[in-house]
């Protein structure tokens, strides 16, 4: 009898955890939509709660502050899901690093970068627009740059290990870092009407010409 009670309690606990995760994800998705639509400063926790169809108390209980929720929205935006895995440890990034030919690797990396830019670019522009007036947004910009720097450091170290770099590992890291914040993607895709495929091809060629020894 005791085992049956324990099993039931375990089931209830698991179900509550699943429901809590689903609620939190709904809040994050709602916050993402509200931030992009109204800006960080123009969005309130109450508006996020209404969009997620939960109470504002639920939002505060799950995330504490709007700044903490902004950070969680960034995690979802860069990864594309709610898995707690760094981007450069994800399968798509690992597949890029596994390519032995460096020119081909940069082409693959450019495709991944173009794909993620569709999520990251608009988010970064929104946060940058709020940074002057909102300290939390300014901190978020710095954190985004730090995370991307770490990711490009990993990519550059892997590129240097191939012996095919035409520049130093540090220069490779800095070039990758400077060209993957979404600014170029926004200027050429959103501003000039390029397709993502055209942008990815151009970026891959740029990196190859600049960074790969011929």
């Amino acid at each position: 009898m005791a085992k049956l009670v324990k099993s039931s309690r375990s089931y209830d606990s698991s179900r509550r955890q699943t429901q809590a995760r689903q609620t939190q994800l709904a809040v994050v998705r709602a916050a993402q939509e509200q931030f992009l639509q109204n800006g960080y400063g123009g969005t309130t926790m109450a508006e996020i709660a209404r969009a997620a169809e939960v109470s504002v108390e639920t939002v505060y209980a799950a995330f504490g502050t709007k700044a903490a929720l902004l950070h969680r929205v960034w995690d979802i935006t860069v990864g594309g899901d709610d898995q707690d895995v760094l981007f450069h440890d994800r399968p798509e990034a690992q597949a890029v690093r596994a390519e032995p030919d460096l020119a081909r690797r940069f082409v693959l990396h450019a495709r991944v970068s173009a794909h993620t830019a569709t999520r990251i670019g608009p988010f970064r522009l929104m946060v940058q627009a709020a940074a002057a007036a909102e300290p939390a947004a300014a901190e978020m910009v710095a954190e985004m740059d730090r995370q991307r720097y770490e990711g490009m450091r990993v990519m550059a170290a892997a590129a240097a290990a191939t012996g095919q770099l035409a520049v130093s590992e540090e220069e490779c890291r800095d070039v990758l870092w400077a060209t993957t914040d979404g600014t170029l993607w926004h200027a050429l895709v959103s501003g000039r009407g390029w397709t993502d495929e055209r942008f990815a091809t151009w970026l891959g060629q740029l990196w190859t010409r600049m960074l790969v020894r011929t």
Side-chain angles (χ1 to χ4, degrees), residues 57-121:
E57 290 80 12
T58 296
V59 177
Y60 277 110
F63 298 97
T65 65
K66 190 169 74 167
L69 184 50
L70 180 68
H71 275 261
R72 189 56 183 150
V73 171
W74 165 246
D75 291 339
I76 295 289
T77 299
V78 70
D81 55 45
D82 64 339
Q83 299 299 312
D84 190 19
V85 181
L86 294 174
F87 184 78
H88 58 263
D89 289 333
R90 287 174 173 265
E92 57 268 41
Q94 292 179 342
V96 170
R97 294 199 302 273
E99 169 57 51
D101 180 77
L102 190 56
R104 175 63 180 165
R105 184 183 301 185
F106 282 136
V107 169
L108 295 174
H109 188 179
R111 289 177 184 172
V112 172
S113 181
H115 177 70
T116 57
T118 62
R119 303 190 304 265
I120 294 173

Side-chain angles (χ1 to χ4, degrees), residues 44-51 54 56 60:
T44 67
M45 295 287 263
E47 289 167 339
I48 293 169
R50 282 196 294 271
V54 299
V56 69
Y60 277 110

Side-chain angles (χ1 to χ4, degrees), residues 4-214:
L4 290 176
V5 172
K6 182 178 180 180
S7 176
S8 175
R9 288 177 177 174
S10 176
Y11 173 79
D12 289 342
S13 176
S14 177
R15 184 172 60 180
R16 285 195 300 270
Q17 290 175 359
T18 298
Q19 291 173 339
R21 180 177 178 181
Q22 291 173 342
T23 297
Q24 289 178 9
L25 183 57
V27 171
V28 171
R29 294 298 188 191
Q32 182 182 49
E33 180 179 343
Q34 293 297 308
F35 288 153
L36 290 174
Q37 179 177 320
N38 303 317
Y40 177 74
T43 298
T44 67
M45 295 287 263
E47 289 167 339
I48 293 169
R50 282 196 294 271
E53 299 182 344
V54 299
S55 69
V56 69
E57 290 80 12
T58 296
V59 177
Y60 277 110
F63 298 97
T65 65
K66 190 169 74 167
L69 184 50
L70 180 68
H71 275 261
R72 189 56 183 150
V73 171
W74 165 246
D75 291 339
I76 295 289
T77 299
V78 70
D81 55 45
D82 64 339
Q83 299 299 312
D84 190 19
V85 181
L86 294 174
F87 184 78
H88 58 263
D89 289 333
R90 287 174 173 265
E92 57 268 41
Q94 292 179 342
V96 170
R97 294 199 302 273
E99 169 57 51
D101 180 77
L102 190 56
R104 175 63 180 165
R105 184 183 301 185
F106 282 136
V107 169
L108 295 174
H109 188 179
R111 289 177 184 172
V112 172
S113 181
H115 177 70
T116 57
T118 62
R119 303 190 304 265
I120 294 173
F123 182 88
R124 183 181 177 88
L125 289 173
M126 176 273 296
V127 177
Q128 282 181 322
E134 299 281 350
E139 292 175 4
M140 186 74 261
V141 170
E143 176 63 15
M144 287 189 291
D145 284 342
R146 186 200 65 76
Q147 290 182 12
R148 189 161 46 81
Y149 181 89
E150 176 59 21
M152 296 309 104
R153 184 194 66 76
V154 172
M155 288 294 188
T162 68
Q164 301 169 47
L165 271 181
V167 299
S168 68
E169 179 181 329
E170 291 74 18
E171 183 171 339
C172 176
R173 174 201 63 206
D174 291 347
V175 168
L176 295 177
W177 180 84
T179 52
T180 53
D181 69 347
T183 301
L184 284 172
W185 174 88
H186 179 74
L188 294 174
V189 176
S190 299
R192 301 305 306 162
W194 285 25
T195 64
D196 285 332
E197 182 179 356
R198 181 183 178 187
F199 176 78
T201 299
W202 171 81
L203 185 60
Q205 291 174 345
L206 176 70
W207 286 344
T208 299
R209 291 168 183 169
M210 291 182 64
L211 304 174
V212 179
R213 188 169 59 210
T214 58

